[in-house]
Amino acid sequence: MSFITRRTALKGMLATSALPLAPTLVLGQSETPKSGGKLAYAQLSANRRSADATNSRHPYFVVDSNVRLQWNCLTWVNPQLGWELEAAKRVEPTDKSLAVWEAELKEGILFHNGKEMTSEDVVASFDYHRQNAPFARQIKRIEAVSKYVARFYLDSGNSEFPYVLAEYNSVIMPAAPLATIGMDGIGSGPFRIVESDPNRSLFMEKFEKYFAGPAYLDRIEIYNREGQQEAALNGLRSGQFDAVLSIDARAALDLSKDPDLQIEAAKGGYSFVLQLPKVPGTPMDDKRVRQAMAFAVDRDAIVRVAYGGKFGWKGNDSHLVVTDPSFVPRPGGRDVARAKALLAEAGFASGVDLGTLYWSPQLPEAGRYFQVLQQSLAEAGIKVKLEERPNDGYIQFRTGDADLSKGNYHKFAMTAVGSRNPGISLFRMRNAYVESGYWRGPGHDRYMALYGQAMVEPVAATRKAIYAQMQDILFDEVPALLPAGGDNFLVHRKNVKAMPYHPQVWSIRFEKTWKA
């Protein structure tokens, strides 16, 4: 068998991991797109990284994480969570180890400064990403094979590597020294940055030489309104904004009755993680206490109260979203009696006090969500005090100086996670990651051994079976609690056309959006 045949066969098997492509928008005769105009929108779940005047145009720090408006990646994740080619015209493994991949660029892609994108830019960008983006650290080195071909050498096989290339921290920037690359905000996307106000706003104008054809809109203005849903909706009603992104399900239900507004929904957008610090000798280090939490929490009530019943979905204590084909529903339902029995077995027959659970208003429904969670845990004798923390500085607060060598653990706290492919989502439960609470022991070791098998398995159906085994381990061990998740919603005025939403907020592309 020749090398080309092996590679072609591998490519075919790997392609089965991608879900069907996004449906094509069909416009009626009365819906002919028009060029021109400005779109102003408020984002309720914006980038929470701190930005200042020196880095506010960098893709890691822009006011809003919708980086696909300004930059391109080699690949893109469509609304069905399958990957597609974007700046690359070819992405494939070089052999069956799946540890070496090649990406060939489309020719003629221009950056906003007029420079053509080449493999030199890909290499420089990923040299930066390897040091600064968690998902890119698996890349040991990258080299330019030719003007348009870059080769990635991974630390081990990864059957789902094309998804890594689509991450919001995988954008391609013009080559520059590591200390300055990306700081100028120059990308190759349909819009170029013209003005930025750190943590507040970002203004962009159409890039006429965008490789896929110029956008319809002349200008997009983004305003950070995280935690300010009512103020943002008032801005929509007054005409300050044309759209508001990341509204909660209850607002979506309300606004759907307004004849001048339109709701766009993306199922399976995100979920909340309760990171459970497994400090030796404390209750959460005991698997039975964590199991009791999983049985006690009323997932149905969270969906009903936080998401209005019509939207939202029950989580299974993994990072997978319900729309992922690999998602396995958690067996059984709520069982308060079993939760109490587990607590008694662990030595807490009279109940247990787990201290303070910290949360931030990162999404509008968070307050309702955690009140229901607190009440349902209490019914099983699990006491949790809630404390709201401001969004500013929250990531640093909940993580703290997490260094196990010093005996330092993170806080008992929530965070929100978005929808990703199984290879990325299930990796988040590894021992060396805060969201797993530094899970350890035989269960963890079996879990990671299965993960290693999945990553070098080219056949999607076989990987799916392995992922099911991994979720079975999570049901038993409960390293973290992910009780329920939400859908992504945006609301826009009826004169705004072709403005679809996406389960991954950072993957939205509005180059086909226009105003009537």
Side-chain angles (χ1 to χ4, degrees):
M1 183 182 291
S2 70
F3 170 78
I4 293 297
T5 304
R6 285 201 307 271
R7 184 168 68 179
T8 303
L10 282 165
K11 183 180 179 184
M13 288 187 287
L14 288 161
T16 63
S17 68
L19 301 177
L21 302 184
T24 302
L25 179 67
V26 180
L27 300 169
Q29 293 298 318
S30 62
E31 295 288 297
T32 303
K34 294 195 316 186
S35 294
K38 178 188 78 173
L39 177 76
Y41 72 80
Q43 170 63 289
L44 301 181
S45 179
N47 193 340
R48 296 178 310 287
R49 293 186 173 102
S50 297
D52 57 36
T54 66
N55 64 14
S56 64
R57 296 190 177 202
H58 191 281
Y60 285 26
F61 299 96
V62 289
V63 70
D64 170 303
S65 61
N66 306 150
V67 295
R68 303 312 268 273
L69 302 177
Q70 309 96 19
W71 290 273
N72 290 117
C73 292
L74 296 171
T75 57
W76 179 63
V77 174
N78 63 38
Q80 287 71 44
L81 303 183
W83 68 270
E84 301 178 21
L85 296 170
E86 189 174 77
K89 69 177 182 181
R90 173 176 65 89
V91 172
E92 59 190 20
T94 62
D95 60 40
K96 63 182 179 181
S97 76
L98 306 183
V100 182
W101 289 72
E102 280 188 358
E104 182 178 0
L105 289 170
K106 296 172 181 175
E107 298 179 19
I109 297 178
L110 298 180
F111 287 110
H112 300 152
N113 60 4
K115 177 186 178 297
E116 185 184 15
M117 182 187 293
T118 68
S119 59
E120 175 190 7
D121 305 299
V122 176
V123 171
S125 296
F126 277 93
D127 278 341
Y128 181 86
H129 298 323
R130 288 191 305 119
Q131 297 185 30
N132 296 281
F135 303 131
R137 288 175 188 154
Q138 64 190 277
I139 302 168
K140 305 309 293 182
R141 66 185 177 94
I142 177 175
E143 65 180 13
V145 177
S146 66
K147 183 177 181 180
Y148 298 110
V149 177
R151 185 173 293 161
F152 297 82
Y153 296 86
L154 312 185
D155 56 12
S156 59
N158 185 345
S159 54
E160 298 186 3
F161 184 63
Y163 285 97
V164 175
L165 301 178
E167 278 294 313
Y168 60 86
N169 283 349
S170 292
V171 302
I172 308 303
M173 306 168 282
L178 289 179
T180 59
I181 190 169
M183 294 298 183
D184 54 13
I186 292 174
S188 58
F191 297 92
R192 61 182 185 87
I193 298 172
V194 294
E195 186 179 341
S196 60
D197 186 353
N199 297 318
R200 293 182 178 86
S201 60
L202 187 70
F203 299 162
M204 298 167 290
E205 291 180 353
K206 173 166 57 178
F207 178 47
E208 294 285 357
K209 296 182 179 179
Y210 181 52
F211 77 94
Y216 292 120
L217 293 165
D218 288 335
R219 182 178 173 92
I220 292 183
E221 297 181 356
I222 306 175
Y223 296 88
N224 182 356
R225 291 295 184 269
E226 185 171 30
Q228 304 171 54
Q229 177 169 280
E230 196 52 47
L233 293 177
N234 286 338
L236 178 72
R237 297 182 184 103
S238 70
Q240 178 187 5
F241 303 129
D242 298 296
V244 179
L245 276 59
S246 302
I247 62 173
D248 70 4
R250 286 180 171 272
L253 285 169
D254 250 2
L255 295 168
S256 65
K257 303 168 187 172
D258 190 321
D260 297 322
L261 301 175
Q262 183 167 326
I263 304 295
E264 307 288 349
K267 185 70 177 174
Y270 60 92
S271 58
F272 288 112
V273 182
L274 273 68
Q275 50 187 46
L276 309 178
K278 298 163 190 61
V279 180
T282 63
M284 278 187 281
D285 193 38
D286 190 320
K287 179 174 76 173
R288 294 167 296 187
V289 174
R290 303 195 304 270
Q291 290 173 331
M293 296 175 73
F295 281 116
V297 66
D298 194 336
R299 300 166 200 259
D300 289 306
I302 292 176
V303 172
R304 184 173 64 253
V305 175
Y307 300 109
K310 184 177 179 180
F311 303 110
W313 45 277
K314 291 192 291 184
N316 70 351
D317 299 329
S318 82
H319 286 73
L320 295 178
V321 297
V322 69
T323 51
D324 193 300
S326 295
F327 179 93
V328 177
R330 185 178 171 85
R334 189 185 187 215
D335 193 334
V336 174
R338 189 170 180 184
K340 289 181 176 180
L342 284 163
L343 289 178
E345 187 181 325
F348 301 103
S350 300
V352 63
D353 188 339
L354 297 181
T356 301
L357 169 61
Y358 299 97
W359 65 281
S360 73
Q362 185 176 335
L363 289 155
E365 77 278 9
R368 297 192 300 270
Y369 186 111
F370 287 99
Q371 286 175 5
V372 176
L373 182 137
Q374 179 191 45
Q375 292 165 8
S376 60
L377 290 177
E379 291 170 11
I382 302 172
K383 184 178 180 182
V384 169
K385 178 184 177 182
L386 296 178
E387 183 175 323
E388 180 180 355
R389 302 288 303 188
N391 286 315
D392 288 347
Y394 180 72
I395 293 177
Q396 294 77 9
F397 169 80
R398 69 174 175 82
T399 302
D401 179 19
D403 186 341
L404 296 193
S405 66
K406 300 177 183 176
N408 296 338
Y409 281 74
H410 55 81
K411 302 285 195 307
F412 176 29
M414 78 79 162
T415 187
V417 294
S419 54
R420 287 186 169 88
N421 59 295
I424 287 178
S425 292
L426 294 173
F427 190 53
R428 297 179 83 132
M429 286 295 191
R430 66 192 184 278
N431 172 272
Y433 197 53
V434 67
E435 287 174 11
S436 78
Y438 299 109
W439 177 33
R440 59 196 181 280
H444 170 271
D445 296 342
R446 290 195 304 273
Y447 180 89
M448 292 309 298
L450 287 168
Y451 179 82
Q453 292 176 30
M455 288 300 94
V456 294
E457 174 53 61
V459 180
T462 306
R463 286 201 305 276
K464 182 178 179 180
I466 296 172
Y467 293 148
Q469 295 178 60
M470 294 173 69
Q471 289 168 84
D472 284 341
I473 294 174
L474 296 181
F475 300 154
D476 179 60
E477 292 273 340
V478 198
L481 202 64
L482 291 88
D487 307 320
N488 287 341
F489 299 94
L490 69 79
V491 56
H492 62 78
R493 296 181 171 282
K494 285 283 183 71
N495 69 320
V496 178
K497 307 294 182 178
M499 192 179 186
Y501 216 16
H502 198 294
Q504 296 182 342
V505 179
W506 58 88
S507 294
I508 58 174
R509 302 193 302 194
F510 291 152
E511 72 266 30
K512 300 303 183 186
T513 300
W514 57 283
K515 293 179 75 172

